[in-house]
Structures are given as C-alpha cells and as structure tokens.
Amino acid sequence: MYKNTLHLLENSDDSTSRSFALRNIARVFSQTQQLDSAICYYQQAIKIATPHTQSSLYNDLGILYIKTEKLEEAHECLQNAVRLCNNPKLLPPIYLTLGEYFIKTRQYDSATCYLNKSIKSPLLYTQADSLYLFAEIEYQKQNYSKSIEYLKRYELLNDSITKNSHFENIRMTQSMFNYQRLTDEKNNYEKKLPTG
C-alpha cells in the first residue's frame, strides 16, 4: 500500500508526503528485518524531506545503522538529527539513540550523559527504554546489583505502560460502541420520520 501511495505521488510537488511514504516503506522493511532495504528508503526520504522532518528520519536511520553495526554512519546520522531538531521536546528520543550508540562503542560516560537527558522525556516509552539501557551499562560494567535495580524500575514502568495501553484500548472500544449506538439510534429515528 505504501508503494502504491508513493507511485501516486510520483508527479506531485508535495515532497513532505513523498518523504513520509518513503519513511513508511522503510519502517515496513525494518519490521520485516530487511534492514538494507530499510536503509535505502530512509536515505531516499531524507533527500527530499523538509528540514523540519529530517531530524526524526536521521534518528530512525541511525537506529538501523546501530543494528547493522555501521557505527560511523550511525554517529553521523545522530549528529545530524540533533543539529536539525528545532523542537527541544523532540530531543529525548534522539538522546536515547545516542545513549545506545555510546553503549555499543563502550563509551559509558557519554552514554550515561545522554541517557540522563532521555530519561527526562515525558514519553513513558522513552523513559522505560532509558532505564533498560542504564541496566545494560551496569551489566557490561559487571555492576550486577545496579543492573538489577534498573531492570526492576524498567519492569515497573513497563507494567504501567501496559496498564495505560489496556485502559486506552477499553476507552477506544467504549467510544466506538457509543458511536455505533448513536448511529443506530439516528437511523431508527430517521426511519420513523414521515416521508414526502
């Protein structure tokens, strides 16, 4: 479907929509572990994206480079992501990825510095992932008791995320049910109206 969307946008001047279509194709390839294809589509998306959206694309591409052990490319992408980010509220996920990069390169002080920034994110997912990476640092440094402490905090936060997701799903289901009920009532009312 995303490739069809991209095809429909071929002759369009809307570079933002085309870059989002390319990004979505990249995400599908990433989810199906076709990382080289995902990297290729992210690179294409970045070329036509507006500076406003390039930051998140560079962060996503940096994550893929970390996964594929292309660490120099990852670092360059993450530096671009920070440089192009024009909204401080969007920095914590980039800091999280930088933390992961510095763990991978065994630069634990730098990793800790960025994770201390990412854990302040209002997003629970970013906070949880930060705790998990703190646990990873302590594990690699053979501070097993500290690693376990971080993992316990991670699990608690992860449980909260799961509960929040559960309640949000219930709210959405209830909302859909209410909408359907109102639609049925409206249709019944309209059927009872005299015609003509």
Side-chain angles (χ1 to χ4, degrees), residues 12-64:
S12 168
D13 291 335
D14 186 357
S15 63
T16 302
S17 294
R18 287 195 338 244
S19 70
F20 284 143
L22 288 163
R23 179 207 61 193
N24 292 339
I25 294 168
R27 286 181 174 173
V28 171
F29 278 122
S30 180
Q31 290 297 313
T32 57
Q33 300 306 310
Q34 299 175 68
L35 302 185
D36 289 338
S37 296
I39 288 169
C40 181
Y41 277 96
Y42 272 120
Q43 290 170 336
Q44 290 178 53
I46 287 168
K47 285 179 186 174
I48 62 171
T50 62
H52 179 71
T53 57
Q54 281 181 331
S55 178
S56 68
L57 293 171
Y58 272 119
N59 187 50
D60 289 353
L61 183 56
I63 292 168
L64 287 178

Side-chain angles (χ1 to χ4, degrees), residues 178-193:
N178 288 341
Y179 176 79
Q180 186 60 48
R181 186 174 49 84
L182 288 172
T183 303
D184 291 345
E185 287 177 11
K186 177 184 165 260
N187 289 339
N188 287 336
Y189 174 75
E190 288 174 351
K191 285 179 187 175
K192 292 177 184 176
L193 289 176

Side-chain angles (χ1 to χ4, degrees), residues 126-138:
T126 304
Q127 291 176 28
D129 289 345
S130 299
L131 289 169
Y132 186 84
L133 291 178
F134 273 126
E136 179 67 24
I137 290 170
E138 296 304 332

Side-chain angles (χ1 to χ4, degrees), residues 34-160:
Q34 299 175 68
L35 302 185
D36 289 338
S37 296
I39 288 169
C40 181
Y41 277 96
Y42 272 120
Q43 290 170 336
Q44 290 178 53
I46 287 168
K47 285 179 186 174
I48 62 171
T50 62
H52 179 71
T53 57
Q54 281 181 331
S55 178
S56 68
L57 293 171
Y58 272 119
N59 187 50
D60 289 353
L61 183 56
I63 292 168
L64 287 178
Y65 279 137
I66 291 169
K67 285 182 181 177
T68 57
E69 302 286 330
K70 296 176 181 174
L71 298 178
E72 284 182 33
E73 292 91 337
H75 190 254
E76 184 179 335
C77 283
L78 297 173
Q79 293 303 312
N80 285 332
V82 171
R83 181 177 52 80
L84 292 167
C85 187
N86 57 4
N87 183 347
K89 293 179 181 177
L90 301 177
L91 282 169
I94 300 170
Y95 292 150
L96 177 70
T97 309
L98 276 163
E100 186 176 357
Y101 163 80
F102 284 117
I103 290 170
K104 201 75 158 172
T105 58
R106 298 189 183 282
Q107 299 176 63
Y108 300 124
D109 289 342
S110 295
T112 299
C113 175
Y114 282 106
L115 293 176
N116 279 327
K117 294 178 181 184
S118 67
I119 201 163
K120 294 175 184 171
S121 171
L123 302 172
L124 293 180
Y125 290 100
T126 304
Q127 291 176 28
D129 289 345
S130 299
L131 289 169
Y132 186 84
L133 291 178
F134 273 126
E136 179 67 24
I137 290 170
E138 296 304 332
Y139 182 81
Q140 287 187 19
K141 291 164 94 177
Q142 298 182 349
N143 296 331
Y144 301 121
S145 60
K146 277 189 174 182
S147 180
I148 290 170
E149 285 175 34
Y150 279 118
L151 283 176
K152 285 179 180 176
R153 289 176 58 196
Y154 164 78
E155 288 297 329
L156 284 170
L157 190 52
N158 212 29
D159 288 346
S160 294

